[in-house]
Amino acid sequence: MQQTNKMIDARQRKWMFCLLAILILGAAFTHYQRIFLGLLLGSTFSLFMLWSLQSKTTKFVNAAAKKQRISGIGTFSRLAAAILAVTIAHRFEEYFHLIGVAVGIATCYIVILIDSLVFKLKD
């Protein structure tokens, strides 16, 4: 079970890195630089939130298996990261599209959903 979770986590991070690479190319080679930079900023924070969610979930599962207590799964830190991303976008509006940042923040949850649907259909 532990090995399966590590494979899923690695696969989801790989999807996020591929998405970040596409966004970098979009920002570099299209006329929609502000939108792609907003998506890139939001997706970068989203990658942090994905990593945080995965590590806290792993700790939570391990603690539950050992019948120990854990303080939480990091909701506050992920919320703070999202607020920081929006604050940066608002402060530097000439570089980052605010709606792009908001969509970028949600990409980790979209990646989790698509990943689980694709591999559920394969089984």
Side-chain angles (χ1 to χ4, degrees):
M1 184 71 171
Q2 182 85 6
Q3 188 66 21
T4 304
N5 287 341
K6 286 183 180 181
M7 288 174 35
I8 292 170
D9 292 350
R11 191 175 58 229
Q12 290 171 351
R13 284 192 304 269
K14 182 180 78 172
W15 279 103
M16 285 295 295
F17 282 123
C18 290
L19 178 65
L20 287 173
I22 292 169
L23 293 175
I24 289 170
L25 291 174
F29 297 114
T30 67
H31 296 290
Y32 304 106
Q33 185 176 14
R34 190 169 165 251
I35 293 172
F36 277 105
L37 286 175
L39 287 168
L40 183 62
L41 177 67
S43 295
T44 303
F45 276 89
S46 186
L47 177 63
F48 164 74
M49 294 182 338
L50 177 69
W51 169 79
S52 172
L53 180 65
Q54 290 171 342
S55 64
K56 291 287 187 171
T57 302
T58 302
K59 289 178 184 176
F60 184 79
V61 168
N62 290 339
K66 295 175 184 175
K67 299 189 189 305
Q68 296 174 340
R69 300 186 124 243
I70 190 167
S71 60
I73 57 172
T75 304
F76 181 74
S77 63
R78 290 193 308 275
L79 181 63
I83 291 171
L84 180 61
V86 170
T87 303
I88 291 170
H90 189 17
R91 171 67 178 90
F92 300 104
E93 278 188 74
E94 61 273 7
Y95 300 111
F96 302 109
H97 193 265
L98 191 59
I99 295 175
V101 173
V103 171
I105 288 170
T107 56
C108 73
Y109 302 109
I110 295 169
V111 164
I112 291 170
L113 178 68
I114 291 173
D115 182 66
S116 62
L117 288 175
V118 165
F119 286 95
K120 183 65 90 174
L121 292 174
K122 280 188 174 181
D123 290 340

Short mmCIF file of all heavy atoms in Angstrom, two decimals, residues 5-46:
data_model
loop_
_atom_site.label_atom_id
_atom_site.label_comp_id
_atom_site.label_asym_id
_atom_site.label_seq_id
_atom_site.Cartn_x
_atom_site.Cartn_y
_atom_site.Cartn_z
N ASN A 5 1.14 4.29 -2.92
CA ASN A 5 0.96 5.72 -2.66
C ASN A 5 2.16 6.52 -3.14
O ASN A 5 2.00 7.62 -3.67
CB ASN A 5 0.72 5.96 -1.18
CG ASN A 5 -0.67 5.53 -0.75
OD1 ASN A 5 -1.57 5.39 -1.58
ND2 ASN A 5 -0.84 5.30 0.53
N LYS A 6 3.36 5.98 -2.97
CA LYS A 6 4.56 6.68 -3.45
C LYS A 6 4.54 6.79 -4.96
O LYS A 6 4.93 7.83 -5.52
CB LYS A 6 5.82 5.96 -2.99
CG LYS A 6 6.13 6.15 -1.54
CD LYS A 6 7.43 5.47 -1.17
CE LYS A 6 7.73 5.67 0.31
NZ LYS A 6 9.01 5.04 0.68
N MET A 7 4.08 5.75 -5.64
CA MET A 7 4.00 5.79 -7.10
C MET A 7 2.96 6.81 -7.57
O MET A 7 3.20 7.55 -8.52
CB MET A 7 3.65 4.40 -7.66
CG MET A 7 4.79 3.42 -7.56
SD MET A 7 4.39 1.71 -8.03
CE MET A 7 3.24 1.88 -9.34
N ILE A 8 1.83 6.86 -6.89
CA ILE A 8 0.79 7.82 -7.24
C ILE A 8 1.29 9.24 -7.01
O ILE A 8 1.10 10.12 -7.86
CB ILE A 8 -0.50 7.54 -6.42
CG1 ILE A 8 -1.14 6.22 -6.87
CG2 ILE A 8 -1.49 8.69 -6.56
CD1 ILE A 8 -2.26 5.75 -5.97
N ASP A 9 1.94 9.48 -5.87
CA ASP A 9 2.48 10.80 -5.56
C ASP A 9 3.50 11.24 -6.61
O ASP A 9 3.47 12.36 -7.10
CB ASP A 9 3.12 10.82 -4.18
CG ASP A 9 2.10 10.65 -3.06
OD1 ASP A 9 0.89 10.71 -3.34
OD2 ASP A 9 2.53 10.48 -1.90
N ALA A 10 4.40 10.34 -6.96
CA ALA A 10 5.43 10.66 -7.96
C ALA A 10 4.79 10.95 -9.32
O ALA A 10 5.21 11.87 -10.03
CB ALA A 10 6.43 9.53 -8.06
N ARG A 11 3.80 10.16 -9.68
CA ARG A 11 3.11 10.37 -10.96
C ARG A 11 2.41 11.72 -11.01
O ARG A 11 2.49 12.45 -12.01
CB ARG A 11 2.12 9.22 -11.18
CG ARG A 11 1.54 9.17 -12.56
CD ARG A 11 0.67 7.95 -12.76
NE ARG A 11 -0.42 7.91 -11.80
CZ ARG A 11 -0.73 6.84 -11.07
NH1 ARG A 11 -0.05 5.73 -11.18
NH2 ARG A 11 -1.74 6.88 -10.22
N GLN A 12 1.75 12.09 -9.92
CA GLN A 12 1.06 13.38 -9.88
C GLN A 12 2.05 14.54 -9.93
O GLN A 12 1.80 15.55 -10.60
CB GLN A 12 0.17 13.47 -8.64
CG GLN A 12 -1.02 12.55 -8.72
CD GLN A 12 -1.79 12.47 -7.43
OE1 GLN A 12 -1.37 12.97 -6.39
NE2 GLN A 12 -2.94 11.83 -7.47
N ARG A 13 3.17 14.43 -9.24
CA ARG A 13 4.19 15.48 -9.31
C ARG A 13 4.78 15.58 -10.71
O ARG A 13 5.07 16.67 -11.20
CB ARG A 13 5.28 15.23 -8.27
CG ARG A 13 4.86 15.60 -6.86
CD ARG A 13 6.03 15.63 -5.90
NE ARG A 13 6.77 14.39 -5.85
CZ ARG A 13 6.52 13.40 -5.01
NH1 ARG A 13 5.55 13.50 -4.13
NH2 ARG A 13 7.26 12.31 -5.03
N LYS A 14 4.94 14.44 -11.38
CA LYS A 14 5.44 14.44 -12.75
C LYS A 14 4.48 15.18 -13.67
O LYS A 14 4.90 15.99 -14.51
CB LYS A 14 5.64 13.01 -13.25
CG LYS A 14 6.20 12.92 -14.66
CD LYS A 14 6.38 11.49 -15.10
CE LYS A 14 5.02 10.95 -15.47
NZ LYS A 14 5.06 9.62 -16.09
N TRP A 15 3.18 14.96 -13.50
CA TRP A 15 2.18 15.69 -14.28
C TRP A 15 2.28 17.19 -14.03
O TRP A 15 2.18 18.00 -14.96
CB TRP A 15 0.77 15.21 -13.92
CG TRP A 15 0.34 13.95 -14.60
CD1 TRP A 15 0.29 12.70 -14.04
CD2 TRP A 15 -0.07 13.79 -15.95
NE1 TRP A 15 -0.14 11.80 -14.97
CE2 TRP A 15 -0.38 12.44 -16.16
CE3 TRP A 15 -0.22 14.68 -17.01
CZ2 TRP A 15 -0.83 11.94 -17.37
CZ3 TRP A 15 -0.67 14.17 -18.23
CH2 TRP A 15 -0.96 12.83 -18.39
N MET A 16 2.49 17.56 -12.78
CA MET A 16 2.60 18.98 -12.45
C MET A 16 3.85 19.60 -13.08
O MET A 16 3.80 20.72 -13.60
CB MET A 16 2.63 19.19 -10.93
CG MET A 16 1.29 19.02 -10.25
SD MET A 16 0.07 20.26 -10.72
CE MET A 16 0.80 21.73 -10.06
N PHE A 17 4.97 18.88 -13.05
CA PHE A 17 6.19 19.41 -13.67
C PHE A 17 6.03 19.54 -15.18
O PHE A 17 6.51 20.51 -15.78
CB PHE A 17 7.40 18.52 -13.34
CG PHE A 17 7.94 18.74 -11.96
CD1 PHE A 17 8.04 17.69 -11.07
CD2 PHE A 17 8.35 20.00 -11.54
CE1 PHE A 17 8.53 17.88 -9.79
CE2 PHE A 17 8.85 20.21 -10.26
CZ PHE A 17 8.94 19.14 -9.39
N CYS A 18 5.34 18.59 -15.81
CA CYS A 18 5.07 18.70 -17.25
C CYS A 18 4.19 19.92 -17.54
O CYS A 18 4.43 20.65 -18.50
CB CYS A 18 4.40 17.44 -17.77
SG CYS A 18 5.46 16.00 -17.82
N LEU A 19 3.20 20.14 -16.70
CA LEU A 19 2.33 21.31 -16.88
C LEU A 19 3.12 22.60 -16.70
O LEU A 19 2.95 23.56 -17.48
CB LEU A 19 1.17 21.25 -15.88
CG LEU A 19 0.21 22.43 -15.91
CD1 LEU A 19 -0.53 22.49 -17.24
CD2 LEU A 19 -0.77 22.35 -14.77
N LEU A 20 4.00 22.64 -15.71
CA LEU A 20 4.83 23.83 -15.51
C LEU A 20 5.72 24.09 -16.72
O LEU A 20 5.90 25.24 -17.13
CB LEU A 20 5.67 23.68 -14.24
CG LEU A 20 4.93 23.80 -12.91
CD1 LEU A 20 5.86 23.45 -11.76
CD2 LEU A 20 4.33 25.17 -12.73
N ALA A 21 6.26 23.04 -17.31
CA ALA A 21 7.10 23.20 -18.50
C ALA A 21 6.29 23.76 -19.66
O ALA A 21 6.76 24.66 -20.39
CB ALA A 21 7.73 21.86 -18.88
N ILE A 22 5.07 23.29 -19.84
CA ILE A 22 4.20 23.81 -20.90
C ILE A 22 3.88 25.28 -20.66
O ILE A 22 3.89 26.10 -21.58
CB ILE A 22 2.91 22.97 -21.00
CG1 ILE A 22 3.25 21.57 -21.53
CG2 ILE A 22 1.87 23.65 -21.88
CD1 ILE A 22 2.12 20.58 -21.41
N LEU A 23 3.63 25.64 -19.40
CA LEU A 23 3.32 27.04 -19.08
C LEU A 23 4.53 27.94 -19.31
O LEU A 23 4.38 29.08 -19.76
CB LEU A 23 2.83 27.15 -17.64
CG LEU A 23 1.47 26.49 -17.37
CD1 LEU A 23 1.14 26.56 -15.89
CD2 LEU A 23 0.37 27.12 -18.20
N ILE A 24 5.73 27.45 -19.03
CA ILE A 24 6.94 28.23 -19.30
C ILE A 24 7.08 28.47 -20.80
O ILE A 24 7.38 29.59 -21.22
CB ILE A 24 8.19 27.51 -18.73
CG1 ILE A 24 8.18 27.58 -17.20
CG2 ILE A 24 9.47 28.13 -19.28
CD1 ILE A 24 9.22 26.73 -16.53
N LEU A 25 6.83 27.43 -21.58
CA LEU A 25 6.89 27.60 -23.04
C LEU A 25 5.83 28.58 -23.52
O LEU A 25 6.08 29.40 -24.41
CB LEU A 25 6.73 26.25 -23.73
CG LEU A 25 7.88 25.27 -23.57
CD1 LEU A 25 7.53 23.91 -24.17
CD2 LEU A 25 9.14 25.83 -24.20
N GLY A 26 4.64 28.49 -22.95
CA GLY A 26 3.57 29.42 -23.32
C GLY A 26 3.92 30.86 -22.98
O GLY A 26 3.64 31.79 -23.75
N ALA A 27 4.54 31.06 -21.84
CA ALA A 27 4.93 32.42 -21.44
C ALA A 27 6.05 32.94 -22.31
O ALA A 27 6.13 34.15 -22.58
CB ALA A 27 5.35 32.43 -19.97
N ALA A 28 6.92 32.06 -22.77
CA ALA A 28 8.07 32.49 -23.54
C ALA A 28 7.76 32.74 -25.02
O ALA A 28 8.34 33.63 -25.63
CB ALA A 28 9.19 31.44 -23.44
N PHE A 29 6.81 31.98 -25.57
CA PHE A 29 6.66 32.00 -27.02
C PHE A 29 5.29 32.45 -27.52
O PHE A 29 5.00 32.30 -28.71
CB PHE A 29 6.97 30.62 -27.60
CG PHE A 29 8.40 30.20 -27.36
CD1 PHE A 29 8.67 29.12 -26.54
CD2 PHE A 29 9.44 30.89 -27.93
CE1 PHE A 29 9.98 28.73 -26.31
CE2 PHE A 29 10.76 30.52 -27.70
CZ PHE A 29 11.02 29.43 -26.89
N THR A 30 4.42 32.94 -26.67
CA THR A 30 3.12 33.43 -27.14
C THR A 30 2.94 34.90 -26.78
O THR A 30 3.74 35.48 -26.04
CB THR A 30 1.96 32.63 -26.52
OG1 THR A 30 1.92 32.87 -25.12
CG2 THR A 30 2.09 31.14 -26.78
N HIS A 31 1.89 35.48 -27.31
CA HIS A 31 1.57 36.88 -27.02
C HIS A 31 0.74 37.01 -25.74
O HIS A 31 0.39 38.12 -25.36
CB HIS A 31 0.82 37.50 -28.18
CG HIS A 31 1.65 37.57 -29.43
ND1 HIS A 31 2.73 38.43 -29.54
CD2 HIS A 31 1.58 36.88 -30.59
CE1 HIS A 31 3.28 38.28 -30.73
NE2 HIS A 31 2.60 37.34 -31.39
N TYR A 32 0.43 35.88 -25.11
CA TYR A 32 -0.38 35.89 -23.90
C TYR A 32 0.50 35.70 -22.67
O TYR A 32 0.20 34.92 -21.77
CB TYR A 32 -1.44 34.78 -23.96
CG TYR A 32 -2.31 34.89 -25.17
CD1 TYR A 32 -2.18 34.01 -26.23
CD2 TYR A 32 -3.27 35.88 -25.26
CE1 TYR A 32 -2.97 34.10 -27.35
CE2 TYR A 32 -4.08 36.00 -26.37
CZ TYR A 32 -3.92 35.10 -27.42
OH TYR A 32 -4.71 35.21 -28.52
N GLN A 33 1.59 36.44 -22.61
CA GLN A 33 2.58 36.26 -21.57
C GLN A 33 2.01 36.49 -20.18
O GLN A 33 2.28 35.73 -19.25
CB GLN A 33 3.77 37.19 -21.81
CG GLN A 33 4.89 36.97 -20.84
CD GLN A 33 6.10 37.83 -21.14
OE1 GLN A 33 6.01 38.78 -21.91
NE2 GLN A 33 7.22 37.50 -20.54
N ARG A 34 1.20 37.51 -20.02
CA ARG A 34 0.64 37.84 -18.70
C ARG A 34 -0.24 36.71 -18.18
O ARG A 34 -0.19 36.35 -17.00
CB ARG A 34 -0.14 39.15 -18.81
CG ARG A 34 -0.57 39.71 -17.50
CD ARG A 34 -1.10 41.14 -17.69
NE ARG A 34 -1.81 41.53 -16.51
CZ ARG A 34 -3.14 41.67 -16.45
NH1 ARG A 34 -3.88 41.50 -17.51
NH2 ARG A 34 -3.70 42.02 -15.32
N ILE A 35 -1.05 36.13 -19.07
CA ILE A 35 -1.93 35.03 -18.67
C ILE A 35 -1.10 33.80 -18.29
O ILE A 35 -1.33 33.17 -17.25
CB ILE A 35 -2.94 34.70 -19.79
CG1 ILE A 35 -3.92 35.86 -19.96
CG2 ILE A 35 -3.68 33.40 -19.49
CD1 ILE A 35 -4.83 35.75 -21.15
N PHE A 36 -0.11 33.46 -19.14
CA PHE A 36 0.71 32.30 -18.85
C PHE A 36 1.56 32.49 -17.59
O PHE A 36 1.78 31.55 -16.83
CB PHE A 36 1.60 31.95 -20.04
CG PHE A 36 0.90 31.13 -21.08
CD1 PHE A 36 0.49 31.69 -22.26
CD2 PHE A 36 0.64 29.78 -20.85
CE1 PHE A 36 -0.15 30.93 -23.22
CE2 PHE A 36 0.00 29.01 -21.80
CZ PHE A 36 -0.41 29.59 -23.00
N LEU A 37 2.02 33.72 -17.34
CA LEU A 37 2.77 33.96 -16.11
C LEU A 37 1.86 33.82 -14.89
O LEU A 37 2.29 33.34 -13.84
CB LEU A 37 3.43 35.34 -16.14
CG LEU A 37 4.65 35.46 -17.05
CD1 LEU A 37 5.15 36.91 -17.09
CD2 LEU A 37 5.76 34.53 -16.61
N GLY A 38 0.61 34.26 -15.01
CA GLY A 38 -0.34 34.06 -13.93
C GLY A 38 -0.60 32.59 -13.67
O GLY A 38 -0.60 32.13 -12.52
N LEU A 39 -0.79 31.83 -14.76
CA LEU A 39 -0.98 30.39 -14.60
C LEU A 39 0.27 29.73 -14.01
O LEU A 39 0.16 28.83 -13.17
CB LEU A 39 -1.30 29.76 -15.96
CG LEU A 39 -2.69 30.03 -16.52
CD1 LEU A 39 -2.76 29.62 -17.98
CD2 LEU A 39 -3.74 29.29 -15.70
N LEU A 40 1.43 30.21 -14.43
CA LEU A 40 2.68 29.65 -13.93
C LEU A 40 2.86 29.94 -12.44
O LEU A 40 3.24 29.05 -11.66
CB LEU A 40 3.86 30.21 -14.72
CG LEU A 40 5.24 29.68 -14.39
CD1 LEU A 40 5.32 28.18 -14.66
CD2 LEU A 40 6.29 30.41 -15.19
N LEU A 41 2.57 31.16 -12.03
CA LEU A 41 2.67 31.51 -10.61
C LEU A 41 1.71 30.66 -9.78
O LEU A 41 2.11 30.06 -8.77
CB LEU A 41 2.39 33.00 -10.39
CG LEU A 41 2.39 33.48 -8.94
CD1 LEU A 41 3.79 33.38 -8.35
CD2 LEU A 41 1.86 34.90 -8.86
N GLY A 42 0.47 30.59 -10.21
CA GLY A 42 -0.51 29.79 -9.48
C GLY A 42 -0.17 28.32 -9.45
O GLY A 42 -0.31 27.65 -8.44
N SER A 43 0.33 27.80 -10.58
CA SER A 43 0.68 26.39 -10.65
C SER A 43 1.92 26.07 -9.82
O SER A 43 2.05 24.96 -9.29
CB SER A 43 0.91 25.97 -12.10
OG SER A 43 -0.30 26.07 -12.82
N THR A 44 2.83 27.02 -9.70
CA THR A 44 4.00 26.81 -8.85
C THR A 44 3.58 26.68 -7.39
O THR A 44 4.03 25.78 -6.67
CB THR A 44 5.01 27.96 -9.03
OG1 THR A 44 5.37 28.04 -10.41
CG2 THR A 44 6.24 27.75 -8.19
N PHE A 45 2.70 27.56 -6.96
CA PHE A 45 2.18 27.45 -5.60
C PHE A 45 1.34 26.18 -5.46
O PHE A 45 1.31 25.55 -4.41
CB PHE A 45 1.37 28.69 -5.22
CG PHE A 45 2.22 29.81 -4.72
CD1 PHE A 45 2.75 30.74 -5.61
CD2 PHE A 45 2.51 29.95 -3.39
CE1 PHE A 45 3.55 31.78 -5.16
CE2 PHE A 45 3.31 30.98 -2.92
CZ PHE A 45 3.83 31.90 -3.81
N SER A 46 0.66 25.81 -6.53
CA SER A 46 -0.15 24.59 -6.52
C SER A 46 0.73 23.35 -6.36
O SER A 46 0.34 22.39 -5.70
CB SER A 46 -0.97 24.51 -7.80
OG SER A 46 -1.85 23.42 -7.77
#
